[in-house]
Amino acid sequence: MICQNCGAELRADANFCPLCGARPNPRVTENIYLCPDGKLRWVYEMPILKNPTIFLLVWKVFFFTILGIFAFMSLIDAVEWPHEIGERLLNNLMFFGFFVLGMTVLVGISLLIYAAMMGGKYTVLFEMDEQGVNHKQLPKQAKKAQVLGAITALVGLASGNFTTAGAGILSASRTEMYSEFARVRKVKACPRRHLIKVNQLLNKNQVYADPADFAFVLNYIRTRVPPRK
């Protein structure tokens, strides 16, 4: 059993948390508790190598970055070499394909390293009330993520890849993500990945819930997000 207040491990018969003193809270669903401050809390442990969410998220970031470079190169070729645009476009397309393949391999290797650092699991505490939902890495996980983010930033700067450096700096500084329901534009459910995407204009939160809790969390969020015209 895990303390919903601080994330410490508890014995099944524990009457209070030995770390923070919190008492077990009433359950709303199998794994979700309603706490005295009115917030719903639950801990989710995602097996990194079994759930493709993190891989897909990182892959998409790099893919669209490379796609932007490919489009820019093709535009320059169309202006400077209009009579050879077909051949140059084909060369750029081959370059794009090889780059995407190499990027996929690197993302896969990076995910293996990340999984090893995190003990194979991404553990997060969720806090949710009428106003919004907060995605919070637990202390040990947050420290590991900050170290990994700092390493990524240094590698990016050393190689002159400022996109990688920026992503590393962002991951090193952010251990929480809050979504205010009033500003949410779209809610998308991915039940097979136990994932609910809560998207604002510049903030894309990912809320995870076990199958036993998924329908409750999804309905709670959807009924509090205002309809968009």
Side-chain angles (χ1 to χ4, degrees), residues 136-147:
K136 180 189 298 185
Q137 291 188 47
L138 294 176
K140 289 184 180 179
Q141 291 272 318
K143 288 179 181 178
K144 291 178 181 178
Q146 287 173 340
V147 171

Side-chain angles (χ1 to χ4, degrees), residues 56-71 96 100 103:
L56 292 174
L57 179 64
V58 176
W59 189 90
K60 285 179 181 178
V61 170
F62 283 101
F63 175 80
F64 285 109
T65 300
I66 298 170
L67 184 62
I69 295 172
F70 168 74
F96 176 74
V100 169
M103 176 206 69

Side-chain angles (χ1 to χ4, degrees), residues 30-215:
E30 185 173 338
N31 301 294
I32 298 176
Y33 293 79
L34 177 61
C35 300
D37 59 1
K39 292 184 178 182
L40 296 165
R41 288 185 172 89
W42 70 98
V43 172
Y44 182 85
E45 290 187 336
M46 182 179 72
I48 296 172
L49 298 180
K50 292 183 179 180
N51 191 320
T53 299
I54 294 178
F55 176 86
L56 292 174
L57 179 64
V58 176
W59 189 90
K60 285 179 181 178
V61 170
F62 283 101
F63 175 80
F64 285 109
T65 300
I66 298 170
L67 184 62
I69 295 172
F70 168 74
F72 182 70
M73 291 172 59
S74 300
L75 181 62
I76 291 177
D77 286 344
V79 173
E80 294 187 353
W81 310 93
H83 302 296
E84 302 177 16
I85 184 59
E87 181 180 352
R88 288 185 171 273
L89 186 61
L90 181 60
N91 290 336
N92 289 345
L93 191 60
M94 291 178 61
F95 170 79
F96 176 74
F98 282 120
F99 216 102
V100 169
L101 180 61
M103 176 206 69
T104 302
V105 173
L106 287 176
V107 171
I109 294 172
S110 299
L111 188 66
L112 290 174
I113 296 172
Y114 180 75
M117 289 183 65
M118 296 294 184
K121 294 182 179 180
Y122 176 77
T123 307
V124 59
L125 170 67
F126 289 99
E127 299 176 327
M128 186 168 67
D129 58 17
E130 295 290 331
Q131 283 69 49
V133 59
N134 193 31
H135 176 141
K136 180 189 298 185
Q137 291 188 47
L138 294 176
K140 289 184 180 179
Q141 291 272 318
K143 288 179 181 178
K144 291 178 181 178
Q146 287 173 340
V147 171
L148 188 62
I151 293 172
T152 303
L154 289 173
V155 171
L157 290 172
S159 62
N161 189 330
F162 296 104
T163 300
T164 302
I169 292 170
L170 183 62
S171 63
S173 61
R174 173 174 284 186
T175 58
E176 296 185 29
M177 182 174 289
Y178 180 77
S179 295
E180 185 179 351
F181 291 145
R183 297 183 179 182
V184 172
R185 292 174 173 267
K186 185 178 181 180
V187 178
K188 182 179 179 181
C190 305
R192 294 183 64 181
R193 289 192 274 157
H194 307 167
L195 170 65
I196 302 168
K197 297 181 179 180
V198 183
N199 297 337
Q200 296 176 218
L201 183 60
L202 297 175
N203 183 23
K204 299 184 184 297
N205 204 345
Q206 295 186 328
V207 178
Y208 301 99
D210 286 317
D213 316 308
F214 192 87

Side-chain angles (χ1 to χ4, degrees), residues 128-132 181-182 216 219-226:
M128 186 168 67
D129 58 17
E130 295 290 331
Q131 283 69 49
F181 291 145
F216 171 83
N219 182 67
Y220 189 98
I221 293 173
R222 281 181 169 170
T223 55
R224 285 156 180 81
V225 169

